[in-house]
C-alpha cells in the first residue's frame, strides 16, 4: 500500500548574502492514492534551470546511443514517459500506476516530473519489439539504477541488480510474447545513507558538501538485438611501447571461432587487420602510432567481428580508442613524477561532482555533458577528477574527444563509516568492493581515464593497501591514488599504498613532496566562492573562502596559481585539482554557476595561469 504522505524536498529561503527569510521553498508532490487522477508527464520547475532544461521531453530524453565504445546499428531507446508509483513501502505490482515519470531522470529531479524522494519505486511501460528482430536474442540494458532493482517482463522475473553506479544487462528473449505489446516493470529500493551501498555525495538531508539524492533509473534504458553468440565487452588497452591495442573480448555464447579486428584512422584508412582465435587475447598492431594527448586527442577507429567456424560473421561492433601510456618516471632528483606517453606532463585539473540542478545525477542533454568538458579545456585545464560518482559512458566519450584526462573516484560509502569512525559493516564493505570491481571492468577501455581513486578523505575507508592492490590487479595499466586527502580527514595512517601521495589543503595549495616511491599531488585545493544573484540554489551558500567580485575571484585564482608554481618547484608536484568546476547546490565555489549560465572568473586570465602551471610542472627537473 502506498503512503499518502507528501514526500518533499525543503530548502530554506535566504538572500544571496545568506540572511534567512521567513519561509522555505518546498518542492513536493503527493504519492499516488487509491483513486488518483491520471495525467501525462509534466516537468516540475527546478530551483535553477540550465540552458538545456526546456529541450527535455518525452521525445528528447537523452536519445543518443549510450555506449560509444561498443556500437551496433540496431537498437531501441526506452527512455521517455513511464508509469510510476512510489512511497515508504513497496508499491503493489498489480495496481494501476497513475503517476508519470520521465526516464532516465532521477525521481528527486525536476525533469522526472516527480521531484521527491521515495524509498520504494515502481516503474512500468509497454514496448514493441521492432520487426526483423525475430531471429535474434533481445537484450535489455540499464545504464544505472540506484540502488537495488528487480526487473520483470510480461510478469516473468528476470533478475535483480544491486549498486547504483554500474550498468547491467538482461536477456529478455524467453519472456517476450510472440507479437504485440510487451510489459516491462522495474521495482527499485533506494534508502541513500540508510542502506549499505556506495552513494557518493547523496544524502536524505542535503546540506554543506552533501547533496540531493538521485534515486531510481538515472541512465538510459534500451533494447538491442544480438546473435546468440556475440561480443559483450572489448576491454581495450593501448600499448604505446608495443605499438598495438590489446583486447580481451568477452564473448557470450559458444559458437565463435575467431575475432577479426580492423584498426582505422579517422579518415577510414586501414591501419591493420588481424584475426585471432576466439578466447585468446587480441593484439591489433598500430605501426608508428600517433599518441593521444590533451593537446592532440587523436582516436583510432576499431571494427571487431566475431566469426563462426565457417567464417560467417556472427557479430560486429564498432569502437574506438586512443594510443597513450600513463606511468611514473623518475626525475633528475630521483623523485617519482606522473608521465603521459613517456614524458612528464603536469595535470592541472578541476573537481567535477557531476550534478545538475534540473537532472541531479543525470545531465539534461548530451550537449550539456559535452559543455562541461569544453569549458574545462577553454579555461586551460587538462584534467578532471570525477568526484565520488560514475558518469554516463557518453561523458567519457566526450572526455576522449576533447582531450581531458580523467581521474575516476570509486563512489564512497557513507562518510560516517570507515576512516575516522571505524570500518564499515561487512555487508557495506562487500558492496563497495563488488561495485568497484564492476566499475573498473566497465570503464577499462576509456582512453582518457588515467588514474583510479578508491578512497576519498577516509569516507567508508577500510583495508586501504589491500583495496589499492586489488585495483592494480584489476587494471595494471593505470595509476592508483589509494587515498585522496590522506593528510586531512581520516585517522587511518598513510599506508604508503598506491602510486600517489594526495594532499587536500583549503584554501591551499598544499605543499607535499614527491619521493622516490610515490608521486605527490594536490588532490583538492581552492574552494573560492563567489555569489552570483539569480543563479543560486535555495539555502545557505558556503565556500572555503568568499570573494565579492569577478575581478576578486580572478585575482585570488592568480595568487593560488603562483603559490602552486612555488609548490611544484620545491616539491616536484605532478598534479593539482582545483575545487571546483561548478557550484553544486549550496556549495558556491565553482568556476561556473550551478546552472552553467555564468563563468565566474575572467577566462583568459585563468587560462594564462593554468598554462604557466602546466609549463612549470612539465619542465621542472
Amino acid at each position: 500500500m502506498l503512503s499518502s504522505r507528501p514526500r518533499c524536498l525543503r530548502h530554506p529561503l535566504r538572500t544571496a548574502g545568506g540572511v534567512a527569510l521567513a519561509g522555505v521553498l518546498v518542492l513536493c508532490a503527493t504519492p499516488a492514492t487509491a483513486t488518483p487522477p491520471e495525467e501525462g508527464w509534466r516537468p516540475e520547475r527546478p530551483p535553477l534551470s540550465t540552458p538545456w532544461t526546456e529541450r527535455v521531453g518525452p521525445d528528447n530524453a537523452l536519445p543518443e546511443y549510450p555506449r560509444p565504445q561498443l556500437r551496433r546499428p540496431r537498437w531501441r531507446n526506452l527512455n521517455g514517459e513511464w508509469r510510476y508509483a512510489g512511497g515508504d513501502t513497496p508499491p503493489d505490482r498489480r495496481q494501476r500506476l497513475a503517476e508519470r515519470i520521465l526516464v532516465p531522470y532521477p525521481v528527486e529531479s525536476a525533469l522526472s516530473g516527480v521531484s521527491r524522494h521515495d524509498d520504494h519505486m515502481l516503474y512500468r511501460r509497454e514496448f514493441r519489439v521492432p520487426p526483423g528482430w525475430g531471429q535474434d536474442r533481445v537484450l535489455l540494458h540499464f545504464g544505472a539504477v540506484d540502488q537495488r532493482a528487480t526487473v520483470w517482463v510480461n510478469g516473468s522475473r528476470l533478475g535483480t541488480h544491486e549498486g547504483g553506479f554500474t550498468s547491467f544487462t538482461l536477456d529478455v528473449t524467453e519472456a517476450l510474447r510472440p507479437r504485440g505489446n510487451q510489459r516491462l516493470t522495474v521495482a527499485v529500493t533506494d534508502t541513500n545513507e540508510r542502506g549499505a551501498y556506495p552513494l557518493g555525495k547523496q544524502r536524505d538531508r542535503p546540506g554543506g558538501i552533501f547533496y540531493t539524492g538521485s534515486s531510481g533509473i538515472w541512465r538510459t534504458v534500451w533494447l538491442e538485438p544480438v546473435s546468440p553468440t556475440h561480443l559483450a565487452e572489448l576491454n581495450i588497452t593501448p600499448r604505446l611501447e608495443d605499438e598495438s591495442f590489446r583486447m580481451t573480448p568477452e564473448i557470450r555464447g559458444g559458437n565463435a571461432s575467431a575475432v577479426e579486428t580492423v584498426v582505422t584512422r579517422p579518415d577510414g584508412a586501414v591501419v591493420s587487420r588481424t584475426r585471432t582465435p576466439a578466447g585468446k587475447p587480441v593484439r591489433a598492431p598500430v605501426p608508428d602510432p600517433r599518441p593521444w594527448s590533451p593537446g592532440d586527442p587523436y582516436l583510432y577507429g576499431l571494427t571487431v567481428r566475431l566469426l563462426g567456424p565457417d567464417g560467417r560473421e556472427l557479430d560486429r561492433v564498432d569502437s574506438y580508442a586512443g594510443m597513450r601510456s600513463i606511468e611514473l618516471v623518475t626525475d633528475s632528483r630521483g623523485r617519482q613524477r606522473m608521465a603521459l606517453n613517456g614524458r612528464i606532463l603536469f595535470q592541472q585539473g578541476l573537481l567535477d561532482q557531476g550534478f545538475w540542478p534540473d537532472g541531479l545525477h543525470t545531465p539534461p542533454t548530451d550537449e550539456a555533458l559535452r559543455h562541461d568538458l569544453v569549458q574545462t579545456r577553454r579555461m586551460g585545464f587538462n584534467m578532471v577528477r570525477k568526484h565520488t560518482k560514475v558518469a554516463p559512458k557518453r561523458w567519457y566519450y566526450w572526455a576522449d574527444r576533447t582531450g581531458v584526462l580523467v581521474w575516476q573516484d570509486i563512489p564512497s560509502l557513507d562518510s560516517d563509516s570507515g576512516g575516522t569512525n571505524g570500518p564499515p559493516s561487512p555487508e557495506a564493505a562487500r558492496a563497495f568492493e563488488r561495485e568497484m570491481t564492476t566499475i573498473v571492468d566497465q570503464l577499462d577501455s576509456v582512453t582518457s581515464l588515467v588514474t583510479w581513486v578508491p578512497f576519498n578523505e577516509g569516507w567508508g575507508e577500510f583495508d586501504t593497501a589491500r583495496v589499492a592492490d586489488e585495483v592494480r590487479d584489476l587494471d595494471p595499466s593505470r595509476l592508483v591514488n589509494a587515498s585522496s586527502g590522506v593528510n586531512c580527514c581520516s585517522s587511518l595512517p598513510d599506508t604508503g599504498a598506491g602510486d600517489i601521495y594526495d594532499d587536500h589543503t583549503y584554501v591551499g595549495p598544499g605543499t607535499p613532496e614527491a619521493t622516490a616511491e610515490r608521486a605527490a599531488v594536490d588532490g583538492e585545493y581552492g574552494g573560492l566562492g563567489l555569489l552570483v544573484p539569480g543563479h543560486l540554489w535555495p539555502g545557505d551558500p558556503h565556500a572555503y573562502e568568499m570573494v565579492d567580485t569577478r575581478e576578486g575571484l580572478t585575482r585570488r585564482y592568480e595568487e593560488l596559481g603562483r603559490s602552486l608554481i612555488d609548490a611544484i618547484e620545491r616539491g616536484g608536484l605532478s598534479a593539482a585539482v582545483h575545487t571546483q568546476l561548478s557550484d553544486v547546490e549550496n556549495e558556491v565555489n565553482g568556476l561556473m554557476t550551478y546552472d552553467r549560465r555564468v563563468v565566474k572568473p575572467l577566462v583568459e586570465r585563468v587560462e594564462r595561469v593554468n598554462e604557466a602551471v602546466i609549463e612549470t610542472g612539465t619542465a621542472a627537473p
Side-chain angles (χ1 to χ4, degrees):
M1 181 176 180
L2 288 178
S3 167
S4 61
R5 177 172 59 86
R7 303 297 298 275
C8 304
L9 303 176
R10 296 174 180 268
H11 299 278
L13 290 176
R14 297 177 184 267
T15 68
V19 178
L21 301 175
V24 294
L25 174 68
V26 181
L27 302 177
C28 66
T30 302
T33 61
T35 57
E38 290 201 19
E39 56 184 35
W41 168 82
R42 291 185 304 176
E44 295 288 330
R45 182 180 297 276
L48 289 174
S49 67
T50 69
W52 308 277
T53 303
E54 299 302 323
R55 303 181 192 177
V56 176
D59 297 325
N60 189 36
L62 296 176
E64 295 81 11
Y65 191 82
R67 194 183 55 194
Q69 283 191 290
L70 196 73
R71 304 189 310 274
R72 296 184 178 92
R74 295 189 299 165
W75 69 296
R76 182 174 180 189
N77 196 329
L78 296 185
N79 292 346
E81 184 177 310
W82 292 44
R83 294 176 179 265
Y84 177 79
D88 291 330
T89 58
D92 186 344
R93 285 196 300 115
R94 297 166 296 180
Q95 73 174 5
R96 178 169 57 92
L97 307 186
E99 290 187 89
R100 298 295 186 272
I101 189 169
L102 189 63
V103 169
Y105 300 97
V107 173
E108 295 90 342
S109 73
L111 288 177
S112 75
V114 177
S115 196
R116 67 173 187 266
H117 173 77
D118 290 324
D119 282 355
H120 300 280
M121 296 148 272
L122 190 65
Y123 295 77
R124 183 182 298 152
R125 70 157 291 163
E126 294 187 343
F127 65 90
R128 286 179 177 266
V129 177
W133 289 18
Q135 302 303 311
D136 298 294
R137 307 299 296 182
V138 178
L139 303 183
L140 173 62
H141 302 284
F142 290 85
V145 183
D146 199 5
Q147 294 168 315
R148 188 176 191 272
T150 302
V151 180
W152 295 262
V153 171
N154 297 324
S156 296
R157 184 179 182 276
L158 297 182
T160 295
H161 178 266
E162 296 184 348
F165 295 92
T166 50
S167 60
F168 62 99
T169 298
L170 299 168
D171 187 329
V172 302
T173 311
E174 304 305 326
L176 295 174
R177 300 180 179 124
R179 61 185 63 84
N181 287 342
Q182 318 287 335
R183 173 169 287 191
L184 169 59
T185 305
V186 184
V188 185
T189 299
D190 184 350
T191 54
N192 282 333
E193 67 266 38
R194 289 168 285 133
Y197 298 99
L199 75 161
K201 291 290 196 82
Q202 305 174 81
R203 292 296 184 272
D204 282 334
R205 296 183 179 275
I209 64 169
F210 299 104
Y211 319 123
T212 305
S214 289
S215 302
I217 299 171
W218 68 274
R219 289 195 207 143
T220 293
V221 185
W222 52 295
L223 294 168
E224 183 180 41
V226 296
S227 165
T229 302
H230 60 273
L231 292 156
E233 291 281 357
L234 295 181
N235 302 308
I236 307 164
T237 302
R239 296 287 296 271
L240 185 61
E241 73 285 359
D242 186 47
E243 297 190 346
S244 69
F245 290 116
R246 297 296 181 94
M247 294 190 298
T248 53
E250 297 178 20
I251 300 172
R252 301 286 184 266
N255 195 35
S257 176
V259 175
E260 182 184 81
T261 305
V262 179
V263 181
T264 58
R265 295 188 179 92
D267 63 3
V270 173
V271 173
S272 69
R273 187 186 302 270
T274 58
R275 186 171 292 192
T276 307
K280 300 292 184 181
V282 172
R283 179 184 181 275
V286 186
D288 191 23
R290 179 169 166 177
W292 181 97
S293 69
D296 184 19
Y298 188 87
L299 297 170
Y300 290 91
L302 295 169
T303 298
V304 183
R305 299 171 65 225
L306 197 58
L307 306 177
D310 58 357
R312 181 173 57 89
E313 180 180 290
L314 303 176
D315 190 21
R316 171 183 176 142
V317 297
D318 291 315
S319 186
Y320 73 87
M323 184 61 67
R324 62 106 184 97
S325 66
I326 184 71
E327 59 270 308
L328 296 182
V329 300
T330 303
D331 70 12
S332 62
R333 299 183 188 178
R335 304 171 301 188
Q336 293 300 298
R337 305 283 295 281
M338 297 170 68
L340 183 73
N341 303 329
R343 297 181 178 181
I344 294 172
L345 173 66
F346 191 87
Q347 298 183 27
Q348 176 72 335
L350 279 171
L351 196 72
D352 180 3
Q353 312 256 22
F355 277 74
W356 303 82
D358 46 11
L360 300 177
H361 264 187
T362 305
T365 66
D366 189 62
E367 176 56 30
L369 277 182
R370 179 178 176 273
H371 167 271
D372 277 6
L373 290 159
V374 169
Q375 286 291 350
T376 296
R377 293 295 289 134
R378 181 169 169 249
M379 290 186 283
F381 295 94
N382 62 7
M383 177 263 282
V384 295
R385 178 182 168 200
K386 180 57 73 172
H387 190 34
T388 197
K389 180 204 171 183
V390 178
K393 286 191 173 181
R394 288 194 64 86
W395 182 86
Y396 301 94
Y397 164 76
W398 286 118
D400 292 343
R401 289 284 302 272
T402 56
V404 178
L405 297 164
V406 174
W407 292 10
Q408 178 62 57
D409 287 15
I410 304 300
S412 61
L413 296 168
D414 183 9
S415 58
D416 289 335
S417 68
T420 59
N421 299 295
S425 70
E427 179 187 7
R430 286 193 296 270
F432 177 87
E433 292 194 60
R434 181 171 60 247
E435 190 96 333
M436 178 185 74
T437 298
T438 306
I439 289 167
V440 173
D441 178 62
Q442 292 185 353
L443 298 182
D444 63 2
S445 295
V446 175
T447 298
S448 53
L449 200 163
V450 293
T451 301
W452 295 109
V453 186
F455 295 116
N456 176 75
E457 296 185 352
W459 301 351
E461 188 168 341
F462 64 97
D463 295 349
T464 309
R466 182 185 63 78
V467 171
D469 288 342
E470 183 179 347
V471 174
R472 191 185 304 282
D473 289 343
L474 290 168
D475 183 6
S477 72
R478 292 179 172 90
L479 301 179
V480 178
N481 182 354
S483 184
S484 186
V486 66
N487 65 299
C488 77
C489 310
S490 171
S491 63
L492 295 176
D494 177 17
T495 63
D499 301 296
I500 297 165
Y501 178 87
D502 186 323
D503 177 285
H504 290 188
T505 300
Y506 287 104
V507 172
T511 57
E513 296 187 357
T515 67
E517 289 74 37
R518 287 188 296 175
V521 305
D522 280 347
E524 293 182 29
Y525 79 102
L528 305 173
L530 174 64
L531 303 181
V532 182
H535 302 273
L536 297 173
W537 189 259
D540 188 7
H542 70 95
Y544 292 93
E545 176 184 313
M546 297 297 293
V547 296
D548 295 329
T549 65
R550 188 183 194 195
E551 170 63 29
L553 176 61
T554 306
R555 186 169 57 251
R556 281 295 285 136
Y557 188 84
E558 291 170 333
E559 292 169 0
L560 294 187
R562 289 192 290 271
S563 296
L564 183 56
I565 287 173
D566 290 342
I568 294 168
E569 292 174 335
R570 291 199 308 272
L573 296 187
S574 285
V577 180
H578 182 85
T579 300
Q580 62 183 328
L581 174 65
S582 75
D583 296 347
V584 184
E585 298 196 355
N586 298 138
E587 196 174 359
V588 295
N589 48 29
L591 296 184
M592 292 188 291
T593 54
Y594 192 20
D595 56 13
R596 274 62 166 193
R597 294 183 183 273
V598 178
V599 178
K600 297 183 187 181
L602 297 165
V603 171
E604 296 79 7
R605 285 164 61 180
V606 170
E607 183 181 23
R608 285 199 295 271
V609 171
N610 289 335
E611 288 174 349
V613 167
I614 292 170
E615 181 179 358
T616 300
T618 300

